[in-house]
Amino acid sequence: MMVMVRAVKGTKDILPEEMPRWQLIESTARNIFATFGFEEIRTPLFEETELFHRGIGEATDVVSKEMYTFPDRSGNSLTLRPEMTASVVRATIEHRLELYRNPLRLFYIGPMFRYERPQKGRYRQFHQIGAEVIGSDHPAIEAEAIEMLLLLLERLQVRGSELVINSIGCPSCRPDFLNLLRNAVSEKLERFCADCRDRSSRNVLRVLDCKQETCQEPIESLPAISDHLCEGCRSHFLQFRSWLEKRRVPYQVRSRLVRGLDYYEKTTFEISNGLLGAQNALAGGGRYDGLSALLGGKPSKGFGFAMGMERLVLALPEEAVKESSSTPELCLVPLGEKALEVAAGVASKIRQAGKGCYLEYEARSLKAALRSADRIRARWALILGDNELQTGQWVLKDLTAQTQRLITETELLEACASGAGKTQILF
RNA sequence: GUGAGCGUAGCUCAGCUGGAUAGAGCACUGGAUUGUGGCUCCAGUGGUCGGGGGUUCGAAUCCCCUCGCUCACCCCA
């Protein structure tokens, strides 16, 4: 037997049944982002591998072991984007978008790719909605972006989200802190788990984020970054917090919050939600003032976030998705080949008038056709058999009211012409 | 990369410590109703029990390998 080809590991089909949830999320996001002055941008799904190496950082997990990297036919190394901030910043540099609006407010919706073991809420092809503000380092804009994100969640009736924030310092204070931290960890190395011992040399900050029971106590005694911020970072963070408070956004400071991408500095944040399982981060983001310069552009400060759409779908309550069927309400039921020809012509005219209808092709019997019309939830069935062909009087059956009446082609097309702008036919 | 759990009809699942032609509900098709749906009743289609090997008189059931899915670690959205 032929082996069935299936969707590759970590990818999945989003079937028509679940499409309303996705469409709701996308349209709500577009509407809300527009009210904040954000404009949509789409960048290619793949980029020069170099972009992510430079932007995200060689040492990160994403770059070192999670990228879909491949040579194209000319030998260039390309990579399916694992996130989109680097691409957006690349595009702003390439097209000088900072000349066009300052700050630049952009958002995006699209698929990302990371080679990881799939689990609940985590896929190899996953989708993000994200937003970036480029060209300003005002702390108020961070609070505004977070407010926008929370408003989206509220509008989608997603409950139980928590905002945690932190400042991870900047190039002028972080290196000193990292040394301090590294030394503190190595002093009591034996008290940390094997993973943390490994992390202490690879990426010390991560030690702060370890969830191992046994590591909690030694972590407590480690220096906190909040005590070692430079004056600029400290004041920026305080202002950011006060802007959140002015906007009445509840938050928690977690000095152990660490992000996985090297370009972040100063403000970082995460929104988690208990409905998601182990991968409980619904959205995350932060400031990336050095990224533009790193990618060869003019120094340009930025702040942004990304939200996982699959995770948002998991957290989306059923009542938020309203039944909104856009499928046709009229089903044409021809009985026999000759009737099919006539019906096909009528269907064309209906659609040219901007209305919709189903055309039943394989009506084995009237009974089967009506059953099928019922199943696709059509409101009316137009029956076209030998009798109707003869008389020119077709049978229009109201499947809900269980009534039927005769109608001519002319009357039908007149009904189609009425109700301008609506795709459903009004009888 | 590591660990655990699970693979029986399109879907959700029964199938007791190994026993004869592998079952149910839903879905699908047809009939009761020669051109009238949803409800009801009746009947039917559909499975190399994920794949391979082994133990046995006999394997969906036990053992080994393999593939797949799920969840968790790691990491993140």
Side-chain angles (χ1 to χ4, degrees), chain A residues 342-379:
Chain A
V342 177
V346 173
S348 296
K349 289 177 192 160
I350 290 173
R351 291 165 186 149
Q352 276 161 25
K355 312 292 179 179
C357 64
Y358 288 102
L359 180 53
E360 188 69 41
Y361 280 94
E362 311 209 36
R364 292 167 299 274
S365 66
L366 180 57
K367 180 178 176 156
L370 287 176
R371 186 165 50 222
S372 142
D374 197 52
R375 206 156 34 220
I376 57 185
R377 290 200 297 227
R379 167 81 197 277

Side-chain angles (χ1 to χ4, degrees), chain A residues 160-178:
Chain A
S161 296
E162 285 181 7
L163 170 65
V164 294
I165 63 172
N166 191 26
S167 175
I168 57 169
C170 69
S172 75
C173 56
R174 191 159 34 172
D176 289 343
F177 174 72
L178 293 183

Side-chain angles (χ1 to χ4, degrees), chain A residues 2-20:
Chain A
M2 226 47 141
V3 179
M4 184 171 52
V5 178
R6 27 165 80 239
V8 320
K9 186 199 270 287
T11 70
K12 68 176 193 144
D13 302 307
I14 301 167
L15 302 174
E17 186 188 351
E18 43 197 328
M19 221 54 235

Side-chain angles (χ1 to χ4, degrees), chain A residues 56-77:
Chain A
I56 299 173
E58 306 273 359
T60 60
D61 279 33
V62 169
V63 169
S64 66
K65 54 188 192 194
E66 294 173 0
M67 295 209 302
Y68 277 95
T69 295
F70 58 95
D72 74 1
R73 288 176 177 278
S74 71
N76 289 334
S77 180

